[in-house]
Amino acid sequence: MKKISNKAAQLIVAHVNDTHSYFEPTSLQLSLEINGEKLSPYVSAGGFARIATRLEQLKQDAKRMQKGFLFLHSGDCFQGTLYFSLFKGRANADLLNALNPHAMTLGNHELDMGNEPVGQFVNSINFPLLAGNWDLTNELSGKEYPLKGKPNVLDYDSASGTAKWITHLVNEEPIAIFGLSIDKMADIANPDSDTPFVNATETARKTVELIRSNGINKIILLSHLGYEGDLQLAEDVEGISLIVGGHSHRLQGDFDDIGLGKDDEYGIKVNDTHIVQSGCHALTLGHCAIYFDEHGKVTSFQGRNELLLGRRLFLNADMSETGDDEHHEVACEYLNAHQGVVVCKKDPTLTDLLRNKYQNKVRELQQKVIAKAEANLYHTRIPDEKGPSIVAPLVAESFYYCMKQLGHDVDFAIHNAGGVRKGIEIGELTVADIAGKLLPFAVPIGVYQITGRVLQLTLEGAINNAINNGFQGTGSGSYPYVYNLKFDYHADKPAGERISELYLRNTNGEWNAVESDKVYRGTSSAYTMKGKEGYEALLEVVGENKVSNLSMADCFIKLLSEHPQKLTSANIQFG
């Protein structure tokens, strides 16, 4: 073991997690009881500009007390709002750079659309991305945005079986920080197949041993394993001083008296490891003051999560009318004195960055009309007395249309009903309507090859799951809507025989029976392609799947932008 004369160290650690592109403040409703009267005011909560203000205050506190300071992000900055739907990771890179974290760990939602958006993100950020159990060793060459070898990506070291780490000095005393993500990443996200994730617990154990062999005894894990995963890791691996976690959106602390519930105490201790997590959606900021003795043991730990609020209370969700009677004035005083609340102004520099670079563009896109519906276009998950969804087949068609434009010779498209969140109302349809309301999940679209028999089983499995035919399914959202296919489903027939009259439309518009042993090319969302919720048969692919960098909303926006007549009743097709 390398000899280092370790000494005590004090620092303040500030942290956020699962911010999910919530750059602007959120209209949040509280529940208070003031002088015997119940109030449910709305408040302007969180947002990156308030986080920036509070961070600067904490940084100055640390400087005044001659303590070190760290600001960490525990992953999942992608997804969540129009800012991601419209700009993908570009807005996150700019806004996080403005907050200037010392490090961020990789969340599962960063990989919803494969590696490429992460590669673009990494090229733009000014801080390290800790991904200590992501094995980039065999990443294929020739990618436009490679991750292997990037100096600000601290990935898995396959030679030693450890996570790469950064070292933060506090009065010349080293503190090691490494990051881990969910090791079953391929089950819930879409990492490229050449960059797998390895076991988090074994990686943590070997990493702690290697860090200590280098003479560093103060270790912080920046985790996106989930709260239960953090608790278990602290049980299984010794030597980690602090776990700063994410993924589970857990708001540690007691916020029951303002209507936000009560959870484990902030900084819950398992063995000798403190574990913190700070809610989600940029509403809150956690921070703790830690004292390490010379042996690396945490001998003093104090901290809390703070809900960051504006100074006014409102009577309505759009925050257009303030509550200024006596009860609301007392409520303001109550919140000002609450230990879990900090009333703070928005940082002007970050406010200007958001407004000038992205907010105005979002507002423009909210006004950008790309098509007009002549009538209300119905959406339902399972066909009912009003008929099937009109919208879902159009969305499926957009997948087919865009994959064709990318050069994929696809034959059909399938989309699960739950991927569409609402119908289309008569009148104008904007980009923001699609990306923010109709198809809000930025899930990528991919292509695959399957036999006719697998196609038949896929459709049957999805419907069986949706209507609980033969087993308890996971919900009606699995119901399949299609483009270029038509079929009959017979609920009373034996399993495996419920799809009949399965036909595929060719490029000449002719319908031909699907042959069991013939290979066909399909397109669906990456979520469906993972075999979730009744689509297990889709795992029986021929060759390898390919996932594009186009989301559901991207495809639908492109189709309607180039063919707005698709929303007119005369042009709506089924199957």
Side-chain angles (χ1 to χ4, degrees), residues 206-268:
K206 291 179 180 179
T207 302
V208 170
E209 290 174 359
L210 184 59
I211 290 171
R212 287 185 167 271
S213 73
N214 278 267
I216 302 174
N217 62 14
K218 301 167 182 66
I219 302 173
I220 295 174
L221 167 60
L222 192 54
S223 158
H224 200 82
L225 301 174
Y227 195 62
E228 298 302 324
D230 291 340
L231 296 175
Q232 189 61 54
L233 191 75
E235 285 278 5
D236 295 341
V237 180
E238 295 182 0
I240 300 173
S241 310
L242 175 69
I243 297 177
V244 181
H247 184 59
S248 303
H249 298 197
R250 295 290 286 263
L251 180 60
Q252 289 177 319
D254 187 355
F255 294 85
D256 206 38
D257 55 353
I258 59 174
L260 300 183
K262 181 178 182 180
D263 209 315
D264 289 340
E265 65 179 18
Y266 178 83
I268 186 172

Side-chain angles (χ1 to χ4, degrees), residues 295-335:
H295 305 294
K297 185 176 181 180
V298 177
T299 57
S300 176
F301 178 95
Q302 291 182 314
R304 63 181 182 270
N305 279 319
E306 295 174 341
L307 179 66
L308 306 181
L309 300 182
R311 61 183 179 82
R312 292 184 291 175
L313 301 183
F314 300 90
L315 301 178
N316 44 16
D318 64 7
M319 297 188 293
S320 60
E321 186 178 355
T322 57
D324 52 12
D325 57 33
E326 181 181 347
H327 288 291
H328 283 87
E329 289 178 5
V330 175
C332 283
E333 294 175 5
Y334 177 81
L335 289 172

